[in-house]
Structure formats: structure tokens, C-alpha cells
């Protein structure tokens, strides 16, 4: 066993004795991530007795090579941008044919070809040129489109979320396959990216389970629900945190809890509150802290939050319920059966994206509007003609026309 008086990371305090013994000393320049002595892990910041000129080590966004079409990424401590070659423009140098932008109302123009452009509509707009207004009460998210863009809503920063918060929301999956992907439901972070060491709060789907994570600055706490019951049409999520302890309840599953590592108890986040996706253009730039690669596919609605047990739940945004921005978000479609009117007592049946009418006895057709003839196999009871006899409908019942060599009411005799 060795008893250390003090252990210094990176550099040592400058004293005359140090100079005499060691000559010129240069401090370490770089990042120290983990510190362990005799199998005991030390939290570098939390357990330090003092320090100077130390800041959080962030991975530069340019390391992910976000610029397209030969663009050059340049970054400083806080921001990054792409220097684009000629004929290209946009944050990621992704625009080539949008010099004469035909899109209206602040839509994002994307070059589908050298002659055609696609308009990615902002929140509240739809149509080919985003000229049509749409009232959105239940947002519908399409995940990542073929152009690499994610649909999302961005709300103002949620205030007073440091020590206590509760969220509740409902979501509806676009299909069962989307539950198995890494889909982001919501996110807010210290710098909007959730890089290693930053505070963040996120919720998402992975492998058919709801995943809730938060980092207070001293390590990530994560709760994973049981597999979702995919026969449910709508899923309900209720989650919260008080100081280090968090909890998650999904549908009728039991409440699950977790305690975050380290000593820190406050969540310090300053970015906007993102719902369904993120404001960057490609899935590779989704928040690193969450590890989710795709935007949500389906509907997210009835999102409410409170930051005190004595408060009422409120919708995010300023004013309440109003996002600051959004992209490619539509109104969640009604149940497919709301567009189908089955007649004559028929019942509408949904099976994922498949929808059909289950008709009562005596009726058939897509909407149960056609009668079933007594000579059809679907009739109850079915016709009893045998040995190849032909059923012929009569005003009262039917008759069997028998082939050569047979006779009888049902052609049953040779």
C-alpha cells in the first residue's frame, strides 16, 4: 500500500522547489477521460480538491466530416461551418439547384435533380411549394427522409428543469418495424449535442423498448422499459427525476427507477427542446449523448411537463404549445377506419396499414354493399349441388342443373 500526499493530473502547482528539482515542467495538453488507482475509479471533477484552467473536453463536430460535395469543415470552440465549393450552398454544401429557390414560407429547398427541387416544409405548412397552411394538433413525424433530413419540432428551452421534472406523452408508431430502430423521441442538452461529459436528457426507442437517459455531468443514468405491446394502438409514457433519482413508467408496465452516478444532482441544459428529431440535416449529427441514429416515425402528442410537484402540467413552448420551428411535420392522420364506411352492419378491421370491412352474412364487397347469392360458396348455408351440378338462383331458393349421368335434387344420384 502506498500513501499519497497528493496526486496531480495534467500539471502541478508552480513552486520554487519544483523548478529546482525538476527543471522546466510543461503541463499536459489534451483530454484525460478516466482516472483509476488500485481498481478504484475517481471522478476527476467531483472528487478534485482544486484545479485551474480545466474545461470540458468536447469532440469537434468536424471529426464527423459533415460537409458534402467537397466542402471543408471549419470549427472553433463553440461553432462550426462548411466552406462550400462553387455551385454548392447550404449549411452542409448540399444545395446544387436551389439558387432560384421556388419554395415559400421559409421551406428548405433540396435539389432532387439538376432541374428539380423538393420543398421540405416548415411547421404549419404543406403542399408542393409549402404554400398550404395546415393545423397541427397531433404532430406526425416521418423519421429520416430519402434526402437525409429528419422531421422535428423545436421548442424553447424548458425553464427550472435543474432539480425536478416530470414529462408525460403519448405516441403512436407508424409501423411495428419502426419500434425496432434507434428512434429519438425527445432531447435537450447542455450545448445541444450531448457530447461526452455534457448534461443531457433524452427519450427514445430501441429494439422495441422505451429508453430514458439523463446525464447530470458525472455519468449517464439509463432506464430501459420492457418490450412494448405492439398490439396497443397508442403508448403512454410517464417519466421524471428528482435530484439523482429518475423513474419511468410505460403503458401498464411497472414503474422502474435508477440513480445517476457521481455526486452531481442538477441538470444544466440550455438547448431547445427537440421533439421527434433534431435540427441538423443528417442522422449522423443527431445528439451524441443519446446514441439514437434516426428520427421518430409516427405520431407524438399530448406532450406535457412540469418542474415542480405543486405545478400543473403544461405543454412546452413559448407561448405554451407553440414550437419555435419545425420541419416536415404533418397532422397525425385519423385511424384508417375513419375513412372507411362499412355498410349493412359490416365492421372495419385494422391490421397495421391494412384496412378492410368484415361483412355480415349475406353481404360482400369492399364496403359490404353487394348481396351474396344463394349459389355462391360464401352463402350460409352454401349450395348443396354435387357431382359437378350447376346452381341456379330462383326467386325462392335455388335449383341444381345436373350433368349427364346424374339426377336428383342435388345431383346426388347416378
Amino acid at each position: 500500500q502506498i500513501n499519497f500526499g497528493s496526486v496531480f493530473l495534467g500539471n502541478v502547482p508552480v513552486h520554487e522547489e519544483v523548478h529546482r528539482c525538476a527543471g522546466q515542467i510543461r503541463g499536459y495538453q489534451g483530454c484525460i477521460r478516466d482516472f483509476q488507482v488500485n481498481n478504484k475509479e475517481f471522478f476527476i471533477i467531483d472528487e478534485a480538491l482544486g484545479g485551474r484552467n480545466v474545461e470540458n473536453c468536447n469532440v469537434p463536430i468536424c471529426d464527423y466530416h459533415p460537409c458534402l460535395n467537397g466542402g471543408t469543415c471549419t470549427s472553433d470552440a463553440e461553432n462550426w461551418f462548411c466552406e462550400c465549393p462553387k455551385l454548392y450552398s447550404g449549411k452542409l454544401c448540399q444545395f446544387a439547384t436551389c439558387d432560384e429557390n421556388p419554395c415559400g414560407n421559409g421551406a428548405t429547398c433540396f435539389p432532387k435533380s439538376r432541374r428539380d427541387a423538393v420543398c421540405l416544409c416548415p411547421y404549419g405548412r404543406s403542399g408542393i411549394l409549402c404554400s398550404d397552411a395546415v393545423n397541427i394538433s397531433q404532430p406526425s413525424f416521418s423519421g429520416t427522409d430519402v434526402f437525409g433530413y429528419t422531421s422535428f419540432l423545436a421548442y424553447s428551452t424548458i425553464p427550472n428543469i435543474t432539480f425536478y421534472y416530470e414529462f408525460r406523452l403519448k405516441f403512436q408508431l407508424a409501423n411495428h418495424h419502426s419500434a425496432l430502430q434507434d428512434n429519438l423521441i425527445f432531447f435537450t442538452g447542455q450545448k445541444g449535442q450531448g457530447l461526452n461529459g455534457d448534461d443531457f436528457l433524452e427519450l427514445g426507442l430501441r429494439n422495441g423498448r422505451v429508453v430514458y437517459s439523463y446525464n447530470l455531468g458525472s455519468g449517464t443514468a439509463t432506464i430501459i422499459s420492457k418490450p412494448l405491446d405492439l398490439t396497443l394502438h397508442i403508448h403512454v409514457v410517464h417519466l421524471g427525476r428528482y435530484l439523482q433519482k429518475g423513474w419511468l413508467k410505460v403503458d401498464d408496465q411497472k414503474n422502474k427507477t435508477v440513480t445517476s452516478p457521481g455526486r452531481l444532482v442538477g441538470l444544466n441544459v440550455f438547448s431547445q427542446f427537440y421533439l421527434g428529431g433534431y435540427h441538423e440535416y443528417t442522422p449522423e449529427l443527431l445528439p451524441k449523448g443519446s446514441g439514437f441514429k434516426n428520427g421518430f416515425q409516427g405520431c407524438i402528442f399530448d406532450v406535457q411537463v412540469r418542474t415542480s410537484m405543486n405545478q400543473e402540467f403544461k405543454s412546452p413552448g413559448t407561448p405554451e404549445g407553440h414550437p419555435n420551428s419545425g420541419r416536415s411535420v404533418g397532422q397525425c392522420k385519423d385511424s384508417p377506419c375513419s375513412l372507411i364506411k362499412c355498410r349493412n352492419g359490416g365492421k372495419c378491421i385494422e391490421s397495421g396499414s391494412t384496412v378492410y370491412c368484415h361483412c355480415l352474412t349475406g353481404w360482400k364487397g369492399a364496403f359490404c354493399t353487394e348481396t351474396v347469392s344463394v349459389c355462391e360458396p360464401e352463402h350460409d348455408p352454401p349450395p348443396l349441388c354435387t357431382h359437378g351440378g350447376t346452381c341456379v338462383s330462383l326467386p325462392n331458393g335455388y335449383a341444381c342443373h345436373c350433368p349427364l349421368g346424374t339426377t336428383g335434387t342435388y345431383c346426388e344420384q347416378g
Side-chain angles (χ1 to χ4, degrees):
Q1 293 183 351
I2 300 176
N3 183 20
F4 293 99
S6 297
V7 176
F8 300 99
L9 288 182
N11 201 351
V12 298
V14 179
H15 299 294
E16 183 179 354
E17 293 79 1
V18 173
H19 284 293
R20 286 204 307 266
C21 295
Q24 184 179 4
I25 294 179
R26 293 184 179 179
Y28 174 73
Q29 292 183 338
C31 301
I32 300 176
R33 180 175 181 176
D34 299 309
F35 179 43
Q36 182 175 310
V37 177
N38 291 342
N39 296 321
K40 176 176 173 57
E41 182 182 10
F42 291 87
F43 294 99
I44 296 177
I45 300 300
D46 290 357
E47 300 186 46
L49 301 179
R52 183 175 62 201
N53 296 333
V54 177
E55 60 185 26
N56 193 39
C57 185
N58 288 329
V59 179
I61 200 69
C62 287
D63 287 359
Y64 297 97
H65 307 292
C67 305
L68 306 177
N69 298 308
T72 302
C73 184
T74 303
S75 65
D76 55 27
E78 295 294 335
N79 300 307
W80 65 276
F81 63 93
C82 293
E83 296 180 1
C84 302
K86 291 183 179 180
L87 303 180
Y88 291 95
S89 62
K91 185 175 178 65
L92 300 178
C93 307
Q94 76 276 28
F95 294 152
T97 59
C98 288
D99 293 338
E100 297 179 2
N101 190 347
C103 308
N105 299 297
T108 300
C109 180
F110 188 89
K112 184 179 180 182
S113 67
R114 292 191 175 274
R115 293 186 178 183
D116 297 326
V118 174
C119 300
L120 306 179
C121 297
Y123 175 75
R125 290 287 173 173
S126 66
I128 296 178
L129 300 178
C130 305
S131 56
D132 301 328
V134 56
N135 182 29
I136 298 177
S137 58
Q138 294 186 350
S140 175
F141 302 89
S142 56
T144 305
D145 61 26
V146 294
F147 307 111
Y149 288 72
T150 58
S151 58
F152 73 92
L153 289 177
Y155 296 85
S156 57
T157 304
I158 299 175
N160 305 319
I161 202 174
T162 305
F163 301 113
Y164 181 92
Y165 59 74
E166 278 186 80
F167 286 88
R168 59 188 186 189
L169 59 88
K170 299 175 183 177
F171 68 84
Q172 178 181 344
L173 297 171
N175 49 63
H176 289 177
H177 177 68
S178 65
L180 302 178
Q181 299 179 348
D182 291 347
N183 290 344
L184 184 71
I185 297 179
F186 71 61
F187 175 88
T188 183
Q190 194 171 64
K191 295 182 179 179
Q193 297 164 350
L195 296 171
N196 195 26
D198 287 349
D199 292 19
F200 69 84
L201 163 65
E202 59 85 19
L203 184 72
L205 283 176
R206 180 175 292 125
N207 297 325
R209 303 167 185 257
V210 175
V211 180
Y212 161 43
S213 296
Y214 58 91
N215 190 334
L216 308 181
S218 54
T220 300
T222 300
I223 305 177
I224 302 177
S225 75
K226 293 182 178 180
L228 292 172
D229 181 357
L230 297 180
T231 64
L232 295 177
H233 191 58
I234 294 175
H235 300 278
V236 180
V237 178
H238 195 177
L239 62 92
R241 180 190 65 87
Y242 175 60
L243 301 179
Q244 292 177 294
K245 187 174 182 179
W247 53 270
L248 170 70
K249 181 172 175 56
V250 177
D251 296 331
D252 293 330
Q253 299 180 16
K254 291 184 178 180
N255 191 57
K256 302 184 72 173
T257 62
V258 71
T259 301
S260 62
R263 299 180 179 180
L264 300 181
V265 297
L267 178 71
N268 300 302
V269 293
F270 315 114
S271 74
Q272 297 185 98
F273 178 77
Y274 294 100
L275 188 68
Y278 206 53
H279 73 289
E280 302 295 357
Y281 294 110
T282 58
E284 288 77 14
L285 295 182
L286 284 169
K288 298 299 175 185
S290 65
F292 290 97
K293 299 178 181 179
N294 304 291
F296 187 80
Q297 298 177 39
C299 303
I300 306 174
F301 49 95
D302 294 347
V303 181
Q304 293 183 315
V305 60
R306 68 179 180 181
T307 54
S308 170
M309 294 185 64
N310 300 323
Q311 285 183 347
E312 294 183 355
F313 280 92
K314 295 183 178 180
S315 301
T318 306
E320 181 182 349
H322 290 266
N324 294 341
S325 62
R327 180 179 60 222
S328 301
V329 175
Q331 167 69 1
C332 186
K333 293 181 180 180
D334 294 332
S335 165
C337 281
S338 66
L339 304 177
I340 301 295
K341 292 185 178 180
C342 303
R343 306 293 184 178
N344 300 304
K347 181 180 179 181
C348 183
I349 303 296
E350 296 177 11
S351 178
S353 59
T354 302
V355 58
Y356 61 94
C357 289
H358 179 72
C359 303
L360 295 179
T361 301
W363 298 95
K364 67 176 182 176
F367 303 101
C368 305
T369 55
E370 303 174 36
T371 58
V372 175
S373 166
V374 292
C375 285
E376 294 185 68
E378 296 86 358
H379 190 272
D380 186 18
L384 299 178
C385 302
T386 62
H387 296 107
T390 301
C391 179
V392 179
S393 297
L394 300 175
N396 296 310
Y398 64 94
C400 294
H401 287 189
C402 300
L404 184 64
T406 63
T407 185
T409 305
Y410 304 112
C411 310
E412 74 278 8
Q413 300 176 10

